[in-house]
Amino acid sequence: MKIISWNCNCAFRSKFEHIQSLDPDILIIQECEDPDQVSDEAYKAWAKNFLWTGANKNKGLGIFARPEITLTPLPWASDDLELFLPCRINNEFNLVGVWTKYADSATYQYIGQFWKYLQKHKESFTKSELMIIGDFNSNQCWDLPDRNWNHSDVVRELSEINIESLYHLGTGEKQGAEDSPTFYMQRNLEKPYHIDYFFVSSLFHSKEFSLEVLDHSFWLKHSDHVPVVF
């Protein structure tokens, strides 16, 4: 199974064919339109099997899958946290799509949103094999010393329930010292960051699985993020 996460930087209706050319089974797409609320017929026809969430019909979080794959929504409430999309895949494992946002929070922006979501659903995270995938807008390099919900704290809490970053397991690189950026601020090659992650439970820690951060030379024409392929 090939799973790809990509923040498409809006207008996914005009970009989905690029990511589809990679022959994915499942896509987690940030900043995409809700196919049920757009007039673009090609996009609507392509999106035969999907889940979507967001307050803005043009800029939300979607999970798209081949028609034969079952996406079953999970009742893991987000309340006012942004943005999380939990589902069960083929009744085999759970998946949480992620696009953390500022969320008009003076304190709990970005990784703080996920930290709160983790506190709400940590027990549920342990009941089945799980993948937590997407744009976390976070890196250890931005840790602040006066907080107990920094990026490092989230990584530690996930590790305590046997959920690890597949990129770091595969490369041996340390959090905050990644060689492969997933995001280039303002599409500037001088401003690279690693902020997109596949956090996975123990079943997916096997060496038979791989993770690839795609090259920026093509993808920066279409977004400030590059796809990450599992």
Side-chain angles (χ1 to χ4, degrees):
M1 179 177 284
K2 181 186 288 187
I3 304 176
I4 301 176
S5 179
W6 185 40
N7 185 318
C8 67
N9 197 210
C10 299
F12 188 53
R13 66 189 181 279
S14 64
K15 304 174 183 179
F16 70 87
E17 291 179 342
H18 298 307
I19 203 79
Q20 184 61 39
S21 70
L22 300 176
D23 195 30
D25 295 289
I26 298 173
L27 292 168
I28 298 92
I29 305 294
Q30 300 83 28
E31 299 196 27
C32 65
E33 304 93 328
D34 180 357
D36 282 339
Q37 299 188 69
V38 298
S39 58
D40 189 287
E41 293 302 325
Y43 182 43
K44 292 168 73 76
W46 172 78
K48 294 182 176 68
N49 184 22
F50 73 94
L51 302 172
W52 186 93
T53 188
N56 182 337
K57 68 178 182 178
N58 296 314
K59 196 175 182 180
L61 171 64
I63 297 176
F64 303 85
R66 292 185 184 275
E68 63 271 20
I69 292 175
T70 302
L71 302 176
T72 306
L74 290 171
W76 297 356
S78 295
D79 297 333
D80 59 347
L81 302 174
E82 297 181 321
L83 277 173
F84 305 99
L85 188 52
C87 64
R88 187 155 180 81
I89 306 297
N90 288 340
N91 201 30
E92 295 174 359
F93 64 92
N94 295 334
L95 166 65
V96 179
V98 175
W99 176 29
T100 66
K101 303 176 72 176
Y102 188 86
D104 293 324
S105 174
T107 305
Y108 291 95
Q109 314 98 350
Y110 303 119
I111 196 64
Q113 294 287 292
F114 180 75
W115 182 83
K116 283 192 166 187
Y117 190 80
L118 174 60
Q119 307 316 304
K120 287 174 63 68
H121 298 297
K122 187 179 292 188
E123 183 177 350
S124 296
F125 283 8
T126 65
K127 290 183 177 179
S128 178
E129 297 294 343
L130 175 67
M131 307 184 81
I132 309 169
I133 300 172
D135 177 6
F136 285 71
N137 277 305
S138 181
N139 188 282
Q140 183 175 295
C141 69
W142 295 316
D143 279 1
L144 295 175
D146 59 343
R147 293 179 178 171
N148 65 347
W149 48 265
N150 280 320
H151 184 93
S152 296
D153 298 302
V154 166
V155 170
R156 174 183 51 77
E157 288 195 37
L158 289 174
S159 183
E160 288 171 355
I161 54 174
N162 296 316
I163 296 174
E164 306 284 353
S165 165
L166 193 65
Y167 174 87
H168 297 87
L169 284 175
T171 63
E173 296 169 16
K174 294 186 180 300
Q175 291 279 344
E178 296 87 358
D179 286 337
S180 299
T182 66
F183 169 68
Y184 296 84
M185 187 178 294
Q186 301 167 334
R187 307 194 190 192
N188 186 340
L189 295 181
E190 302 302 316
K191 297 180 179 180
Y193 298 97
H194 190 105
I195 64 174
D196 301 83
Y197 302 90
F198 278 58
F199 286 104
V200 301
S201 58
S202 56
L203 174 67
F204 305 106
H205 296 178
S206 165
K207 290 182 179 179
E208 67 183 281
F209 296 95
S210 65
L211 195 77
E212 181 182 7
V213 178
L214 298 190
D215 185 77
H216 63 75
S217 56
F218 172 79
W219 294 100
L220 285 190
K221 300 172 186 176
H222 305 286
S223 175
D224 46 7
H225 288 249
V226 298
V228 183
V229 182
F230 172 83

